[in-house]
Amino acid sequence: MKAEILIAGRMPPNVIEQLEEDFIVHDWNGAADPQALLAAVGPRIRGVATNAVQGVTPELLDALPNLEIIASSGIGTDALQLERVRAAGIKVAVTPDVLNDDVADMAIARMLAVARKICQGDRNVRAGRWLEGMGLGYRVSGKRLGILGLGRIGRVIARRAEAFDMEIGYHQRHRNLDVPYTYFDSLVELARFSDFLVVVVPGGPATEKMVNREVLEALGPEGILINVGRGSTVDEQALVAALQEGRIRGAGLDVFANEPHVPPELLAMDQVVLAPHYASATIETRLAMGQLVVDNLRAHFSGKPLLTPVE
Ligand code: NAP
Ligand code: 8YV
């Protein structure tokens, strides 16, 4: 008998069709009446496909008493109710590594976009304002880059930054012994070192508002903050104040504390580049993420180990 799978979040384009070959698939994310669908099929659902942003809610888990596996498109686990899910013996699979290149590219793109005023210039030209209010940009090459989280993505960002002749430092809980970059055991000290500070640590309570007023002060008036990790890691009120008061130069933000809500003050700022949580959103990466979602579900329901389990 085919296992029943619930689609609980937006999926890459290659997922649903493939899952329908092997499973009975219920698209809760796209359902006209999600509550009615859940009431009808909830107890029969054995697998969930979701993504790292929409994840699963406690209410959804309440309705799925026979759930065995959650396969998430994405690497972040902060929306997956990990503690509860683990306690219930539910397996979790994510999509590491396949997104490293594109997220790293986007971090570099944001550094360039903010420092070289790429979006402001585009807005000016379209509005017929040409150089009005542009001032001069700020060089990226040869500057100091601080990376908060030298993990899978952080390391790829560092490699790209090397090609820009940047001096690289990082902060996380453990020192990496296999890299030539400078380790800072204090985030404030890393910020003090940095011209650009890129945030790429996981979200959740351990990193909540880690980039606070003190860190932004240390980054200083020439400093640029880039966040491609999670919005929860940055104290958004402190960031808005630092930008408004010119205590940092600018920011490039892919993620926000309460998506899709963006602090309205940021919308009016030319020194800020904003994006709708888009760093992994290329065709190539999303197809690879989708394939891992499918392959993990197939592995689980054919009695094989998961390809990319959450450890
Ligand atoms: P990873 O390989 O697990 O790396 C995370 C790094 O963060 C590790 O090196 C870890 O080092 C450090 N870290 C973890 N907790 C920390 C803490 N409390 N304080 C300081 N450092 C900490 O993860 P990844 O694959 O690079 O992904 C990183 C994050 O990027 C994901 O969790 C996700 O939230 C985000 N992301 C965003 C997008 C997007 O679209 N914007 C796409 C993909 C991923 P230590 O263990 O030594 O602390
Ligand atoms: C995606 C992400 O944008 O991997 C993550 O943790 O945040 C991103 O890759 C997300 O999974 C939406 O599908």
Side-chain angles (χ1 to χ4, degrees):
M1 212 172 71
K2 286 184 171 180
E4 299 197 30
I5 303 286
L6 194 76
I7 306 293
R10 286 179 298 277
M11 282 292 114
N14 57 341
V15 171
I16 295 183
E17 204 172 292
Q18 287 195 75
L19 289 180
E20 281 172 343
E21 292 167 10
D22 295 347
F23 306 106
I24 298 168
V25 177
H26 303 282
D27 189 358
W28 182 65
N29 184 54
D33 187 345
Q35 277 313 105
L37 175 66
L38 212 50
V41 305
R44 302 203 303 269
I45 296 297
R46 295 171 61 199
V48 158
T50 188
N51 62 60
V53 173
Q54 290 169 283
V56 289
T57 60
E59 296 72 32
L60 177 61
L61 291 175
D62 288 344
L64 308 177
N66 295 307
L67 187 60
E68 296 170 27
I69 175 169
I70 297 171
S72 178
S73 174
I75 182 63
T77 56
D78 48 317
L80 297 180
Q81 318 294 331
L82 216 47
E83 213 172 306
R84 170 172 171 180
V85 161
R86 276 183 168 146
I90 297 165
K91 293 181 185 168
V92 180
V94 289
T95 63
D97 291 320
V98 294
L99 38 63
N100 295 352
D101 283 333
D102 284 325
V103 178
D105 288 354
M106 204 58 128
I108 300 289
R110 298 282 158 64
M111 282 167 36
L112 288 163
V114 176
R116 302 301 308 273
K117 306 187 182 219
I118 290 173
C119 300
Q120 188 183 354
D122 182 79
R123 284 192 294 274
N124 258 29
V125 173
R126 287 171 196 274
R129 287 196 302 265
W130 202 238
L131 280 167
E132 206 177 297
M134 286 288 291
L136 294 177
Y138 181 65
R139 181 180 292 171
V140 174
S141 294
K143 292 278 169 58
R144 289 177 162 187
L145 170 63
I147 301 178
L148 172 55
L150 196 73
R152 284 169 295 227
I153 299 169
R155 284 167 179 260
V156 180
I157 295 171
R159 285 212 305 275
R160 283 159 175 52
E162 284 181 38
F164 282 82
D165 299 323
M166 298 184 90
E167 188 183 342
I168 297 160
Y170 69 101
H171 168 74
Q172 56 188 11
R173 291 165 301 183
H174 312 94
R175 183 191 295 259
N176 287 336
L177 298 175
D178 59 341
V179 292
Y181 316 130
T182 308
Y183 176 69
F184 291 84
D185 60 9
S186 140
L187 175 55
V188 171
E189 288 311 314
L190 176 71
R192 215 181 302 288
F193 155 89
S194 302
D195 299 309
F196 294 83
L197 178 63
V198 175
V199 178
V200 64
V201 280
T207 59
E208 176 97 30
K209 295 190 180 167
M210 213 176 162
V211 178
N212 55 20
R213 185 186 167 103
E214 191 189 0
V215 171
L216 295 168
E217 288 294 335
L219 185 57
E222 302 298 335
I224 289 176
L225 179 77
I226 305 294
N227 190 1
V228 291
R230 282 293 182 266
S232 58
T233 305
V234 174
D235 180 339
E236 280 183 348
Q237 275 190 325
L239 175 63
V240 166
L243 286 161
Q244 281 174 333
E245 293 158 22
R247 287 186 280 107
I248 65 169
R249 179 184 283 274
L253 307 171
D254 190 61
V255 287
F256 302 88
N258 182 23
E259 296 173 8
H261 171 79
V262 174
E265 298 91 335
L266 295 179
L267 303 178
M269 293 183 187
D270 265 333
Q271 74 274 39
V272 172
V273 173
L274 307 167
H277 201 140
Y278 201 63
S280 71
T282 65
I283 294 166
E284 294 85 349
T285 284
R286 287 293 166 85
L287 290 180
M289 292 162 72
Q291 198 57 52
L292 274 175
V293 169
V294 172
D295 292 347
N296 275 301
L297 288 168
R298 283 181 172 153
H300 173 75
F301 287 106
S302 49
K304 295 183 186 141
L306 299 184
L307 282 80
T308 47
V310 172
E311 304 299 349

